[in-house]
Amino acid sequence: KMLKRVLCTVLFMGALPSLVEASQGHISVILLGATGDLAKKYLWQGLFQLYMDQVSSGHSFTFHGAALTALEPGQRLMFDVLKKLACPPDESPDRCAVLKDQFLKLSQYHQLKTAENYTVLNREIQTLLRQEGLKEAGRIFYFSVPPFAYTEIARHINSSCRPPPGAWLRVVLEKPFGHDLESAQQLAAELTSFFKEEEMYRVDHYLGKQAVAHILPFRDQNRQFLDPIWNRHHVERVEIVLKETVDAKGRTSFYEEYGVIRDVLQNHLTEALMFLTMELPANVSRAEEVLQSKLQAFQSLRGLEKNSAVLGQYQAYASQVQEELQKTRDYISTTPTFAGVLIHSDSLRWEGVPFLLTSGKALDERVGYVRVLFKNRAYCTQSETLRDAEHSQCKAKQIIFYIGHGALNTPAVLVSRNLFRPVMPEGSWREAGGQSNLRIFGQPLSDFYVYNPVKERDAYSVLISNIYHARKDFFITTENLLASWGFWTPLLDSISQQPLRLYPGGVENQHLLDFEMVSGEVAFTLAEPAELLNPNRQMPNDYKMVQTKFRQSPLVSAWSEELISQLASDIEKTAHNSVAQSGQFHLALSGGSSPVVLFQRLARHHYTFPWKHTHIWLVDERCVPLTDTESNFFSLHNHLLQNVRVPYFNIHPMPVHLNQRLCVEEDRGTELYAKEIMALVANASFDLVLLGVGTDGHTASLFPHSENGLEGAQTVVLTESPVKPHQRMSLSLPLVNKARQVFVLVLGKGKHDITTLLSRVGHQPRKWPISGVSPSSGQLVWYVDYEALLG
């Protein structure tokens, strides 16, 4: 019988240490897309390595290559690849020859195109096992096919090619796993209708890179050294970098759809980021604990904004797209081929530490690394030439997980000698011998403890071994995938039309792509603006800020980003003036979505704001508990208050929740708030009130034809909103008009119609409450972005 003959031959040649008396069962490996590029370059070699490693494990194997190609040409293509398989250098030639010969005998090609093809494959596997008298342990289906084919293949496997009860199924999926959060959710839903979560292994081949795969074990084995320093008090910054010298030529159909962020940052670099920022579980070998820690790390990441990234495109890309995709000469691509992204975690461990993720095509070198740079508080009196790297505290302190290529041209872990001598597993990593003349990050290699793998292994060989051993922590779960897309999609949406910096490619880039961190954002260091890809289309940078009049009051108008920046600066200026005059600043803030970006701007960029002397009031509130996500105070807390140092007793939420009920008149919440204002705010005159405008002309929670709040003596009122939650509490229009300054913020194309209408109507607060805003002895200023103003 075939499998027994193979086993006997391998035993006879001494490839096995001893006869396996009782088989642990048979494993069928089915490689879909067996004649494609990925299979040719990596997957068949990885499967051969698995066979060499596990031939004595007690399992027997067969390998089934499958593709849409007909039987004869497909078989020829596949075996052309198999004949070129190589053994590791340390493998004896005799053993290598035997194993390779047997691997070829255990491999066969199938055309898998129809449901019937899958039924036939299933029957063949069952017949083979029955003839050999073997029990089935499990099946591995490796999807080396485009994602659009996943659902149909999954349906066929589920209906007619599953292993019998008692045997396991492992389905291996290659990226891309969607294009954004919505498409990833859709693909995940389709796959989970056919496979259980524990059956799916989503591959990110970076998790098989030896330096990346060793980040968690390194942290675990060196807890005694890292526990005191692996935090915001000691880490200055972290860089996660993958640079490539090649361009996208030949791959523009894929690249034009995905770009560098989707191709590299959202997956490879993000996974490395998770290994660095996640809290170490008690047992890093337990996949469930590792995956749970990763999800918690995702939840701590601060949301990305447009200014969190700098983007570029190499100059030849446009012509390559036009040629390969047959686009017209006036076709403009806005796909970035370079990105630098600044990420922050708001966890207690990492708050304030910048994580820089960078990748690009057509750069000056091919290299990948993860670099943790530590703060240096030392001053050394001894001159630099006399300093001993091992003991001098003035040398840079860093830990580098060197992924490959570059100056070292090998995976490595480097630890500065003035940090600590790391604990490394002897069987798999060894200290590099000899003193090299190489320099890395400006330092001689001799400044580091340097470790290389005892045996270099291809990433796919590592991952295929992990699939065999069911090590789920080396793969992307559905939750993990959706958390990553949830984090990256808002940035991808915000930059979809952003101008890209053009760069020539290679060493000619010089300093064009250098960027720096400024006030929590990133910007290119060179002062000249990026060249616009479409010179005929006006972009935000082409406009200057407009300052004129709107409804007889000052108007400030710009693109939303610049407008928010100006508004935040004006609020801070007002705050300093008020504190200088009276020792305090009373600020009343509206709810809704428009002020969120303002709150974030104030929290992250205005470090001299006099928060210590600021009182925060609410202009309006929804009648829900303050912990409800619909609450204006909840939004204010999340985006501003928890990030700045306002004294607790200076924060004044509206009392909508009294006596375990919401906005009941007998509870006198409006009177309580009115009394608090009278007690603390001189003449009940706020220093600054920030308002917004609804599409119906409402402001605060004062709605058209409202019975309360548009006139009269009441200062705080209960109102009814036409949309849920209907009940609201609001400052009245007469109270707003007592303020020293009122700023009205209007953002977005959706507000264009009401903005146009308001420019034409007079004082008609019953119809349009915002038209009644007219401070009796203060100033009103309108902040309207171009989309609202011009449509």
Side-chain angles (χ1 to χ4, degrees):
K1 294 180 181 179
M2 184 189 77
L3 288 178
K4 288 182 180 172
R5 284 200 303 272
V6 168
L7 182 63
C8 290
T9 307
V10 173
L11 278 167
F12 179 74
M13 293 299 296
L16 289 181
S18 61
L19 178 63
V20 180
E21 291 177 6
S23 171
Q24 292 182 28
H26 183 78
I27 296 173
S28 305
V29 181
I30 301 96
L31 174 55
L32 299 141
T35 56
D37 280 348
L38 187 64
K40 288 178 191 174
K41 285 181 183 175
Y42 303 110
L43 300 183
W44 279 117
Q45 185 64 50
L47 292 173
F48 181 42
Q49 183 66 54
L50 175 71
Y51 180 65
M52 287 189 284
D53 291 344
Q54 302 302 329
V55 71
S56 58
S57 68
H59 283 123
S60 56
F61 292 87
T62 47
F63 299 90
H64 305 264
L68 298 175
T69 312
L71 187 62
E72 277 192 32
Q75 207 164 20
R76 190 167 56 251
L77 283 168
M78 188 182 99
F79 279 93
D80 283 346
V81 176
L82 298 193
K83 287 168 190 172
K84 294 173 185 170
L85 294 174
C87 292
D90 57 351
E91 194 67 76
S92 75
D94 288 348
R95 186 175 190 269
C96 177
V98 170
L99 289 175
K100 185 173 173 182
D101 181 57
Q102 299 312 321
F103 184 77
L104 265 67
K105 287 178 180 173
L106 293 171
S107 301
Q108 52 187 300
Y109 178 81
H110 306 261
Q111 183 186 33
L112 287 186
K113 202 170 185 178
T114 65
E116 178 60 23
N117 294 149
Y118 284 85
T119 305
V120 170
L121 171 63
N122 185 54
R123 197 181 306 131
E124 285 183 16
I125 293 172
Q126 289 174 337
T127 302
L128 176 69
L129 294 177
R130 193 167 53 251
Q131 288 173 350
E132 301 289 347
L134 290 170
K135 181 184 175 186
E136 185 160 15
R139 296 181 191 179
I140 296 171
F141 282 87
Y142 200 119
F143 285 40
S144 181
V145 295
F148 65 75
Y150 283 3
T151 305
E152 186 183 355
I153 294 172
R155 186 180 294 110
H156 292 324
I157 293 170
N158 187 54
S159 62
S160 55
C161 215
R162 272 186 171 273
W168 46 256
L169 172 67
R170 292 176 194 152
V171 177
V172 188
L173 306 162
E174 277 283 345
K175 79 175 183 75
F177 312 116
H179 184 266
D180 54 17
L181 179 59
E182 186 181 355
S183 58
Q185 286 171 327
Q186 184 181 342
L187 181 57
E190 289 168 358
L191 289 171
T192 50
S193 66
F194 302 115
F195 305 127
K196 299 172 188 170
E197 181 63 37
E198 61 267 25
E199 293 175 332
M200 290 187 283
Y201 289 70
R202 290 183 186 84
V203 169
D204 183 330
H205 77 273
Y206 249 60
L207 297 184
K209 297 280 187 182
Q210 286 169 290
V212 176
H214 195 61
I215 293 174
L216 272 192
F218 179 89
R219 289 182 58 192
D220 182 47
Q221 290 153 16
N222 291 279
R223 286 181 195 246
Q224 57 177 324
F225 305 117
L226 290 175
D227 276 356
I229 62 172
W230 199 256
N231 56 56
R232 60 194 168 102
H233 302 297
H234 295 272
V235 175
E236 182 180 310
R237 65 199 267 179
V238 177
E239 299 165 3
I240 306 174
V241 175
L242 174 60
K243 293 166 65 177
E244 297 183 88
T245 53
V246 297
D247 59 19
K249 192 171 185 180
R251 289 185 71 224
T252 56
S253 59
F254 167 83
Y255 216 80
E256 185 63 2
E257 187 179 353
Y258 287 91
V260 67
I261 293 179
R262 291 181 174 92
D263 187 34
V264 177
L265 279 77
Q266 178 271 328
N267 36 67
H268 305 330
L269 303 195
T270 300
E271 287 303 311
L273 174 70
M274 292 299 100
F275 284 160
L276 295 168
T277 57
M278 64 184 269
E279 292 300 311
L280 271 186
N283 185 351
V284 295
S285 299
R286 284 184 58 82
E288 302 81 8
E289 291 185 33
V290 170
L291 294 169
Q292 203 52 45
S293 287
K294 281 173 75 174
L295 284 173
Q296 288 167 359
F298 266 119
Q299 289 160 10
S300 297
L301 295 181
R302 188 184 297 170
L304 295 173
E305 299 169 13
K306 192 191 291 187
N307 284 351
S308 301
V310 288
L311 305 170
Q313 185 187 93
Y314 66 84
Q315 286 169 347
Y317 180 76
S319 59
Q320 289 170 354
V321 169
Q322 289 165 8
E323 182 184 337
E324 292 179 21
L325 304 185
Q326 299 178 331
K327 300 286 187 182
T328 58
R329 290 189 63 78
D330 60 351
Y331 175 77
I332 302 298
S333 169
T334 56
T335 302
T337 61
F338 168 84
V341 179
L342 173 61
I343 293 176
H344 282 99
S345 169
D346 287 329
S347 70
L348 286 175
R349 181 182 294 279
W350 295 114
E351 188 180 16
V353 176
F355 290 82
L356 290 166
L357 274 60
T358 307
S359 186
K361 298 276 188 188
L363 300 181
D364 62 312
E365 63 175 338
R366 184 184 184 191
V367 69
Y369 60 83
V370 175
R371 181 187 182 211
V372 182
L373 185 64
F374 291 85
K375 294 175 182 176
N376 202 326
R377 297 185 175 89
Y379 170 76
C380 295
T381 311
Q382 188 84 320
S383 68
E384 190 173 349
T385 53
L386 298 173
R387 292 176 196 164
D388 170 11
E390 194 159 351
H391 300 105
S392 172
Q393 291 304 303
C394 282
K395 291 249 184 184
K397 300 175 182 181
Q398 47 196 325
I399 297 173
I400 302 159
F401 299 94
Y402 202 87
I403 298 164
H405 304 290
L408 297 184
N409 200 31
T410 179
V413 175
L414 300 92
V415 179
S416 293
R417 288 182 178 272
N418 58 359
L419 268 176
F420 57 87
R421 176 185 279 276
V423 176
M424 296 291 281
E426 286 182 20
S428 50
W429 291 82
R430 63 178 168 219
E431 191 166 359
Q435 294 299 309
S436 169
N437 294 324
L438 286 174
R439 296 180 71 85
I440 187 161
F441 300 111
Q443 287 185 264
L445 211 55
S446 57
D447 282 3
F448 299 90
Y449 295 112
V450 183
Y451 297 86
N452 302 123
V454 170
K455 187 176 183 180
E456 268 195 61
R457 299 195 65 179
D458 168 70
Y460 279 99
S461 296
V462 173
L463 290 173
I464 287 169
S465 173
N466 288 328
I467 295 162
Y468 169 79
H469 289 291
R471 286 290 307 272
K472 286 284 285 183
D473 48 323
F474 280 84
F475 299 89
I476 312 301
T477 63
T478 302
E479 270 189 300
N480 192 156
L481 174 71
L482 299 182
S484 181
W485 275 121
F487 174 67
W488 284 101
T489 298
L491 175 71
L492 289 164
D493 290 343
S494 71
I495 61 173
S496 58
Q497 296 300 319
Q498 190 167 321
L500 307 173
R501 171 158 293 191
L502 295 180
Y503 59 97
V507 293
E508 291 179 38
N509 295 336
Q510 295 184 27
H511 300 296
L512 261 179
L513 299 178
D514 293 353
F515 60 94
E516 60 187 348
M517 298 172 283
V518 182
S519 302
E521 299 175 349
V522 282
F524 286 116
T525 53
L526 286 186
E528 66 261 24
E531 186 177 337
L532 293 179
L533 290 175
N534 186 348
N536 300 319
R537 179 179 167 197
Q538 289 184 310
M539 299 297 283
N541 291 347
D542 299 331
Y543 295 100
K544 289 193 163 52
M545 193 172 293
V546 173
Q547 195 146 9
T548 177
K549 293 274 184 182
F550 182 79
R551 293 183 55 83
Q552 289 79 53
S553 293
L555 166 69
V556 181
S557 192
W559 291 101
S560 58
E561 208 170 297
E562 201 175 347
L563 185 74
I564 291 294
S565 175
Q566 184 62 49
L567 175 56
S569 296
D570 291 348
I571 291 173
E572 181 173 356
K573 196 181 299 178
T574 305
H576 283 297
N577 290 340
S578 296
V579 171
Q581 288 171 16
S582 64
Q584 51 193 0
F585 173 53
H586 287 276
L587 172 64
L589 297 168
S590 285
S593 57
S594 293
V596 167
V597 283
L598 172 68
F599 298 160
Q600 292 170 340
R601 179 96 199 167
L602 286 169
R604 296 177 194 172
H605 303 284
H606 290 262
Y607 299 110
T608 59
F609 199 103
W611 295 114
K612 187 179 176 182
H613 305 286
T614 299
H615 284 256
I616 303 283
W617 302 83
L618 272 289
V619 167
D620 64 327
E621 182 57 281
R622 295 161 178 178
C623 292
V624 295
L626 298 186
T627 53
D628 192 301
T629 53
E630 292 279 336
S631 162
N632 289 341
F633 182 80
F634 182 87
S635 174
L636 178 65
H637 174 269
N638 270 15
H639 298 293
L640 179 66
L641 297 179
Q642 69 174 355
N643 300 311
V644 296
R645 293 182 178 176
V646 180
Y648 172 77
F649 33 83
N650 284 12
I651 299 169
H652 310 281
M654 282 185 156
V656 293
H657 199 183
L658 296 170
N659 301 321
Q660 297 185 319
R661 49 191 188 173
L662 295 162
C663 294
V664 175
E665 278 199 51
E666 300 91 88
D667 294 333
R668 299 185 169 184
T670 56
E671 287 180 38
L672 285 172
Y673 208 55
K675 284 178 180 175
E676 193 173 0
I677 293 168
M678 291 298 294
L680 296 173
V681 183
N683 303 318
S685 177
F686 291 106
D687 296 304
L688 175 60
V689 174
L690 177 73
L691 298 176
V693 179
T695 52
D696 59 355
H698 84 264
T699 190
S701 281
L702 304 172
F703 298 93
H705 311 293
S706 175
E707 293 180 13
N708 298 325
L710 296 177
E711 53 192 19
Q714 266 190 296
T715 53
V716 184
V717 294
L718 291 176
T719 66
E720 288 284 324
S721 164
V723 295
K724 290 183 178 180
H726 296 300
Q727 278 191 301
R728 308 287 175 94
M729 187 179 288
S730 178
L731 302 186
S732 68
L733 195 56
L735 181 62
V736 168
N737 283 332
K738 289 180 73 174
R740 292 183 174 85
Q741 295 235 62
V742 177
F743 292 170
V744 181
L745 175 62
V746 191
L747 296 177
K749 201 174 285 187
K751 302 288 176 69
H752 176 59
D753 290 346
I754 188 64
T755 304
T756 304
L757 180 68
L758 290 172
S759 69
R760 298 171 183 160
V761 302
H763 180 87
Q764 299 182 60
R766 296 282 302 167
K767 270 189 165 181
W768 303 287
I770 187 66
S771 71
V773 176
S774 179
S776 51
S777 57
Q779 184 187 36
L780 170 64
V781 183
W782 293 82
Y783 292 80
V784 187
D785 77 348
Y786 287 144
E787 288 193 328
L789 191 66
L790 308 172

